[in-house]
Amino acid sequence: MYRTALRTVLAHKGRLLMTTLAVLLGTAFVAGTLVFTDTLGSALRSQSAKSYTDITVTVSDRSAVSKGYDHGGGAEAGPALSEETRGAIAALPGAAEARGVVSGFAGIADRKGALIGNGFSTTGTNYVPGADGTDPRYPLVDGRGPRGAQEIALDARTAEKGGYKVGDTVRVAVNGPVMELRLTGTLHTNDPRVVSGGSLAAFDTATAQQLYLSPGRFAEIDVRGRPGADDTALLAAVKQAVPQSDSVEARTGRELADEQDRMIAEGTKGLSTVLLGFAAIALFVGIFIIANTFTMLVAQRTRELALLRAVGASRKQITRSVLAEALLVGLTASLGGLVVGIGIATGLRALLNGPFEANLPDGPLVIGPSTVLGSVGVGVAVTLLAAWLPARRASRIAPVAAMSSVEQPATQKSLVVRNAIGLLFALAGVGGLLAGAAGKEAKLVGLGAGALMIGVFVLTPLLSRPLIALVAPLLRRLYGTPGKLARENAVRNPRRTAATASALTIGVTLITALTVVGASVNKAVDEATANDLKADYAVAMSNFSMLSPEVAPQIARIPGLTATSVMRTVPVKAAEDDTSWLTSVDAATFDRLVDVKTTEGSADALKQGKLLAGADYAARNGLTVGSTLTGTYPDGSPATLTVGGLIGHSTVVSGLIAPESVVGPHAGAGTGLDKVLVKGPDGPDAALKQALRDATGGNPLIAVKGDKDIKAENREMVSAVLSMMYGLLGMSVVIAVLGVVNTMAMSVFERRREIGMLRAIGLDRRGIGRMVRLESLMIALFGGVVGVLLGIVTAWAGVRTMKDVFRNITTVVPPVQILGFLVAAAVIGLLAALWPARRAARTDILSAIKSD
């Protein structure tokens, strides 16, 4: 029987080609994901290890918050890690060197004033030269390190992007006015933030302290031990030498490296999980193709299998024979998929480092045993699972069926059982969607969507006849006999049609659901922005750090402004160590810049020196109008504040809103601003926007955003996510296309005699080809329509779960995109039928009539 299985595979290799490709592509997705994430993780760990090669112990001060992030005067809190502390550590017997480190954000502008790199990885630090005048952390590529307040060094990649050479003037900004500094050198760095597309600006230590903390203060001290020194003993000595404070922590470099390795492992595991999820979708689509293929092969070999039964083969032997065929196909395809997956991983890394400039670290390709076994094992398991039902069906072929090659129809009992199971799943899915939508439970919606999809897949044979019948009159009217025959062929075997269409349905369902959710979120954000923000522009840091307090008076000096207000977040500590965060605003102008909708009390409470509280925040914290909050401001002054009103949901402000006149004097010296809201005399226009940029010194890190900018930015983020998801789902669509091609090609072979008879009675080659193309078109459109409907229903329930985040969100079904998906499904059906239709049209009449 196993020899028979091998001969069968070799005899039908052409018919198994698309199935092999489907398994190969799914396995390649799995293998590519595992190889790429393993390679990336290994390279990141290797890069991270280089950062700790010369660090034996690190002391960090959590209270030394950079001014760019300081909400409560942390940067002025006292010199926990001072130069004296660094000197004391350097004098320890086991210490060879103690290096004080300061860091924060530093935006580098190119020649046109635009920011180089992304805002979140624009790193600034201090250059600490050793005895030879160089900092071992940052090997020099050209020039020398900075030595004064007017000098700076850049990483070589940033200097190249900006077109800067040693001696040029570089425009640099932290969170305030732009500084023009002379470039003294370019550096090499292994810092992952910089390597992944950021930038590095190195200042001399005194300048960095002035910019980020306060003179004489460090955020971190890195200690390099003497050769042979014991890490544990040095760590204990360092702990004795540093100030005893809850904010000061000392750890060994090995501990830091291990922690970094864990973070890298978690990050790559998360990436791998996401990618493998899409690979699972692709493999799930492949199951329909594999099952369909083996079902059709079994049907075409009814006489052969019946003869095997007649000469003594048992049911188990027939089942094992079909499964052996599946094993050979799965093993061959999986091994091919592994090779292709390795190529995908290599190509993906080159693509990300090339056009996308992701700057992933270099490293050897990692192909672990688990990747090989996992990829091949998954491919084989999926193939065997998909072939199991056709194998069982083959074993039930009676010996008497050797008298006929006609496929045995499914029994009435099996159809009833199938439809009952499908109905139960569908009802459970609908129930899950409704319950999840009502309770705003995303997990329940996900389970409901999965159950509904399974139910619809099981019921698809029942649904195919009435849905395809809807287009029958149109086909007959437009295409005559070929149209009528195409309709009859499409509903002749509902199970086959269902399996083929379902493969396409999965991709269309997910793509439709993503599109509807994206359109709904876009509309909700657009409306919230338009309704809540009355200011013409909001001025803030592009990396969400704090604006320098100097920015507000600079903006206020712009002539003709009708209203401005700072927004500053300040902590107020209560006696029981609890902390309330206040957002301070200008009470006199705030209602002209933000639409404040009070649910209780009055918005004028701000002008009376009282608080406004978000209604949700108040409910969570037991606050009502008249409630009093007591505590301590950042500068140590006592705070007593009364709630004067409750406001509804707002995308601009939330929590507790306080008057700047009350809170500002106690915020602490140097406390940054969240943003500055501005309203001009003529509304948002280019002149006002440019005036704001000029007032902030052209700082590349400062963003000036109006209503249109915020909407465009939000839409860009949603579009980027959707584009990535579409790309990942593309593999499942490709596999679905292979399924349509495979079904149509095998169907043509199966109906060879029938096609010959049609040709003999007068249907020309063009009519035969048109019949096959229309059949494929109907199957693809059927899958597309079902997918669109499932996607819209799923998206509706998903949108309902977002009500807490987007209060006014409603389900938006974009008609153009939905119509585009249906057109795409139709095109897929037509393209998939090109080869089968050509093959059918070229069928020789006599040989076809004589075939079995």
Side-chain angles (χ1 to χ4, degrees), residues 661-811:
S661 58
V662 174
V663 175
H666 308 294
T671 302
L673 308 175
D674 295 342
K675 63 182 70 172
V676 179
L677 302 179
V678 179
K679 195 170 185 63
D682 304 315
D685 56 26
L688 176 57
K689 194 170 189 177
Q690 187 59 49
L692 290 168
R693 286 174 175 161
D694 293 341
T696 56
N699 187 329
L701 278 174
I702 294 179
V704 180
K705 298 178 183 178
D707 176 71
K708 292 182 179 178
D709 300 312
I710 296 172
K711 288 179 180 179
E713 189 176 81
N714 290 328
R715 285 183 174 276
E716 194 173 301
M717 290 173 59
V718 173
S719 296
V721 172
L722 289 179
S723 298
M724 182 183 68
M725 299 291 235
Y726 291 159
L728 292 172
L729 287 171
M731 185 69 78
S732 64
V733 176
V734 170
I735 293 175
V737 172
L738 293 178
V740 179
V741 175
N742 197 40
T743 299
M744 298 310 303
M746 294 186 70
S747 180
V748 166
F749 180 86
E750 187 179 72
R751 303 200 303 262
R752 195 159 177 260
R753 173 183 287 183
E754 177 185 319
I755 291 171
M757 292 297 295
L758 290 172
R759 290 277 287 115
I761 62 176
L763 190 61
D764 60 11
R765 288 186 174 184
R766 182 177 297 179
I768 293 292
R770 182 174 293 169
M771 175 188 72
V772 175
R773 287 192 296 272
L774 289 175
E775 180 184 350
S776 178
L777 173 65
M778 281 187 288
I779 292 173
L781 272 177
F782 171 58
V785 169
V786 173
V788 163
L789 294 175
L790 280 175
I792 291 173
V793 171
T794 301
W796 169 82
V799 166
R800 300 279 297 181
T801 66
M802 302 179 183
K803 285 286 187 180
D804 287 340
V805 180
F806 306 103
R807 287 303 177 90
N808 299 319
I809 191 169
T810 56
T811 304

Side-chain angles (χ1 to χ4, degrees), residues 95-343:
E97 179 188 11
R99 181 172 55 233
V101 178
V102 182
S103 61
F105 283 105
I108 313 299
D110 62 17
R111 300 284 186 180
K112 297 179 180 180
L115 179 68
I116 300 176
N118 58 68
F120 299 99
S121 300
T122 50
T123 307
T125 189
N126 60 321
Y127 189 83
V128 187
D132 61 352
T134 65
D135 189 331
R137 297 175 300 166
Y138 307 118
L140 285 167
V141 176
D142 191 19
R144 60 171 176 81
R147 295 173 183 167
Q150 300 303 312
E151 296 182 344
I152 191 175
L154 301 177
D155 69 281
R157 185 180 286 111
T158 298
E160 182 181 357
K161 287 181 179 178
Y164 293 121
K165 296 180 181 179
V166 172
D168 287 349
T169 298
V170 180
R171 300 180 74 247
V172 189
V174 179
N175 65 339
V178 172
M179 302 173 288
E180 294 190 348
L181 308 177
R182 189 169 69 88
L183 181 65
T184 63
T186 57
L187 315 167
H188 174 74
T189 177
N190 289 316
D191 189 329
R193 294 171 297 179
V194 180
V195 173
S196 62
S199 62
L200 174 70
F203 307 91
D204 72 290
T205 296
T207 302
Q209 289 174 330
Q210 184 66 40
L211 289 172
Y212 297 121
L213 297 174
S214 55
R217 191 173 184 196
F218 301 106
E220 184 180 297
I221 297 176
D222 295 333
V223 186
R224 179 169 61 86
R226 296 181 181 278
D230 181 70
D231 292 7
T232 306
L234 181 58
L235 175 64
V238 168
K239 286 183 177 179
Q240 294 298 318
V242 301
Q244 302 304 304
S245 169
D246 292 339
S247 66
V248 176
E249 181 182 25
R251 290 187 292 175
T252 64
R254 182 68 264 166
E255 289 176 331
L256 291 172
D258 290 343
E259 181 181 342
Q260 191 72 16
D261 285 350
R262 284 193 296 272
M263 292 173 64
I264 291 171
E266 290 175 4
T268 53
K269 182 180 178 181
L271 174 63
S272 178
T273 300
V274 171
L275 293 177
L276 286 175
F278 285 94
I281 293 171
L283 286 168
F284 185 61
V285 172
I287 287 176
F288 290 92
I289 299 173
I290 300 165
N292 215 17
T293 301
F294 277 95
T295 298
M296 295 177 75
L297 282 175
V298 166
Q300 293 169 14
R301 292 162 50 205
T302 298
R303 178 176 292 180
E304 174 190 333
L305 295 172
L307 284 171
L308 288 173
R309 289 293 315 281
V311 297
S314 67
R315 285 188 172 185
K316 286 185 178 180
Q317 286 178 312
I318 296 294
T319 302
R320 290 171 184 169
S321 174
V322 177
L323 290 177
E325 296 172 32
L327 176 63
L328 288 172
V329 172
L331 187 59
T332 304
S334 298
L335 290 173
L338 176 63
V339 174
V340 174
I342 294 170

Side-chain angles (χ1 to χ4, degrees), residues 585-592 602-612 658-659 661-662:
V585 298
D586 189 324
T589 60
F590 187 62
D591 58 350
R592 283 185 278 163
S602 171
D604 289 337
L606 282 176
K607 298 174 183 177
Q608 301 165 11
K610 297 180 180 180
L611 297 175
L612 293 179
S661 58
V662 174

Side-chain angles (χ1 to χ4, degrees), residues 21-35 276 279 282-283 333-345 375-376 379 731 735:
L21 284 175
V23 179
L24 185 149
L25 289 175
T27 306
F29 204 152
V30 174
T33 294
L34 295 176
V35 172
L276 286 175
L283 286 168
S334 298
L335 290 173
L338 176 63
V339 174
V340 174
I342 294 170
I344 289 174
S375 302
V376 175
M731 185 69 78
I735 293 175

Side-chain angles (χ1 to χ4, degrees), residues 626-666:
S627 296
T628 301
L629 279 77
T630 59
T632 305
Y633 286 118
D635 68 348
S637 303
T640 302
L641 299 163
T642 302
V643 177
L646 304 182
I647 62 173
H649 179 77
S650 171
T651 58
V652 182
V653 289
S654 61
L656 298 172
I657 301 95
E660 169 68 12
S661 58
V662 174
V663 175
H666 308 294

Side-chain angles (χ1 to χ4, degrees), residues 31-99:
T33 294
L34 295 176
V35 172
F36 176 72
T37 52
D38 286 350
T39 299
L40 179 61
S42 174
L44 288 173
R45 285 191 295 273
S46 176
Q47 184 184 74
S48 173
K50 294 177 183 177
S51 302
Y52 298 102
T53 52
D54 66 337
I55 298 177
T56 307
V57 175
T58 289
V59 186
S60 56
D61 180 7
R62 291 191 300 274
S63 70
V65 182
S66 169
K67 291 177 183 177
Y69 277 118
D70 187 20
H71 283 290
E76 304 297 325
L81 296 182
S82 62
E83 178 59 32
E84 289 76 14
T85 304
R86 190 202 65 78
I89 294 174
L92 293 174
E97 179 188 11
R99 181 172 55 233

